[in-house]
Amino acid sequence: MTTTQLPPNPGRRVAAPAPAAPPSKPHRRPRYLREQLSGWAMIAPAAALLLLFVFLPAILGFGLAFTNARLVSPRPVEFVGTDNFVRLFTDPTFWRALLNVSYFAVVVVPVQSGLALAMALLINKKFRGVNFFRTLYFLPVVTSMVVVSLLWLFMYRKDGLINEFLSAASFGLIDGPDWLNDPATAMPAIIILSIWQAAGFHMIIWLAGLQSISGELYEAAQLDGASRWHQFRYVTWPGLKHTRTLIMVTITIQALGLFDQVSVMTQGGPLDSTTTIIFEAVRSGFKQQETSYASAISLVFFVLVLLISAVQRYLTREKD
């Protein structure tokens, strides 16, 4: 039996073969999950330390401020409401500590920032030996504050180096005071020490800000005949706007947290002339074992620093 082959029909359309399916893309979700897990694993140690040593103590301190807890006491812990805060705001020692800290901050913030800026301007040039002076200015910063306080403690003694120098320079006419045992000179002595020790740190921050200013601005100012003062006023100072905001906030927080120098050199004396808020909190919490009262002081200190930082940030904000 023969098969008859039909002639092709010119009007009939033949269906084109279906296009091949594109190769399937690899599933990216497992890789994304691995990256997420790796990131969380990297930050887990730091997050655990922050939680254990920062956030958890802060929460416990906030709770203790409203109790009568003591470091060692047979009495059970009881909720006393705002009794600790009422006691705090009626305590003359607290107000004296707040006055001392305010006095310290008002003097240290402008003087230390100005001195650090002057040092940064001096070393922001290329000349032989500039690295030596940078190291020399920064050297007190890398020295422990406890060590520095001990050294200055001997220098401030009645027969210490400072009084001996004053006597020699004045040919015996000046008999220096007993710096740390006189209420009139104890806080100024600590202020001088603090400015000397920390100015180098803020010098580095000022120096970083100075080196971020474009040199073309100074060249344009020189072509216009601007003096050095005008270059500083119209080029350098505006260019340091963000830097000086950071420095002002940093120095203020450090000044309000004054503790090491007082603890090593004066123990808050004489006559509470150098008592600070942090020192009073430590003394109440550990020496007097009143942890609840110390927590109340710490909470008030936290709110105080937060308010001052917010005010500084508002005053130095960028205005349209």
Side-chain angles (χ1 to χ4, degrees):
M1 182 175 178
T2 60
T3 303
T4 305
Q5 187 177 3
L6 296 176
N9 187 0
R12 181 181 179 184
R13 296 183 178 178
V14 180
S24 59
K25 296 182 179 180
H27 196 53
R28 301 182 61 182
R29 184 134 186 108
R31 181 179 178 183
Y32 174 77
L33 289 177
R34 286 196 301 269
E35 293 177 352
Q36 290 292 315
L37 291 176
S38 299
W40 284 108
M42 290 179 182
I43 69 173
L49 291 176
L50 283 175
L51 179 63
L52 184 61
F53 294 105
V54 177
F55 295 108
L56 186 60
I59 295 173
L60 292 176
F62 180 82
L64 287 175
F66 298 92
T67 66
N68 63 344
R70 295 181 62 88
L71 194 62
V72 178
S73 176
R75 297 175 55 188
V77 178
E78 297 178 356
F79 178 79
V80 296
T82 59
D83 290 353
N84 289 319
F85 296 95
V86 173
R87 173 189 170 187
L88 177 63
F89 291 120
T90 56
D91 186 1
T93 304
F94 169 75
W95 292 107
R96 182 60 187 269
L98 183 60
L99 179 63
N100 293 335
V101 168
S102 302
Y103 169 44
F104 182 85
V106 167
V107 177
V108 167
V109 172
V111 175
Q112 184 171 298
S113 58
L115 177 62
L117 177 57
M119 294 162 57
L121 290 172
L122 289 175
I123 64 175
N124 189 33
K125 297 177 182 179
K126 294 182 180 180
F127 58 89
R128 181 175 298 179
V130 63
N131 292 329
F132 169 77
F133 286 102
R134 290 178 179 178
T135 305
L136 183 65
Y137 293 159
F138 190 74
L139 190 60
V141 180
V142 299
T143 307
S144 171
M145 178 58 79
V146 175
V147 176
V148 172
S149 299
L150 287 173
L151 291 176
W152 282 71
L153 176 62
F154 291 104
M155 293 170 58
Y156 277 135
R157 291 175 58 178
K158 182 65 176 177
D159 56 349
L161 180 62
I162 294 178
N163 285 343
E164 292 293 333
F165 174 78
L166 292 175
S167 178
S170 63
F171 300 100
L173 297 178
I174 297 178
D175 185 18
D178 192 358
W179 295 90
L180 298 178
N181 291 320
D182 188 348
T185 58
M187 183 57 77
I190 292 179
I191 288 175
I192 295 173
L193 159 65
S194 303
I195 293 174
W196 174 83
Q197 193 272 340
F201 173 75
H202 300 98
M203 175 199 69
I204 297 298
I205 302 178
W206 282 120
L207 183 61
L210 289 172
Q211 294 181 350
S212 66
I213 302 175
S214 175
E216 297 178 355
L217 298 176
Y218 291 102
E219 294 177 359
Q222 290 176 359
L223 291 175
D224 291 338
S227 62
R228 290 186 173 232
W229 165 247
H230 287 92
Q231 291 179 31
F232 174 81
R233 180 179 179 183
Y234 296 107
V235 178
T236 304
W237 190 246
L240 295 173
K241 181 177 181 179
H242 299 288
T243 305
R244 67 174 179 262
T245 300
L246 172 64
I247 287 180
M248 292 298 176
V249 173
T250 304
I251 298 179
T252 302
I253 294 176
Q254 291 177 347
L256 294 176
L258 174 65
F259 172 74
D260 292 339
Q261 304 91 305
V262 173
S263 179
V264 173
M265 303 176 73
T266 63
Q267 292 291 313
L271 302 177
D272 289 331
S273 60
T274 59
T275 300
T276 64
I277 298 178
I278 296 297
F279 181 80
E280 183 64 20
V282 173
R283 180 167 59 183
S284 299
F286 291 97
K287 291 187 177 182
Q288 301 175 2
Q289 299 185 1
E290 295 180 315
T291 53
S292 59
Y293 187 63
S295 299
I297 297 175
S298 301
L299 184 58
V300 171
F301 174 75
F302 170 75
V303 174
L304 179 65
V305 172
L306 189 65
L307 290 175
I308 293 177
S309 300
V311 170
Q312 282 189 328
R313 188 68 184 90
Y314 175 78
L315 295 177
T316 56
R317 73 189 188 282
E318 294 186 3
K319 299 179 181 180
D320 298 332

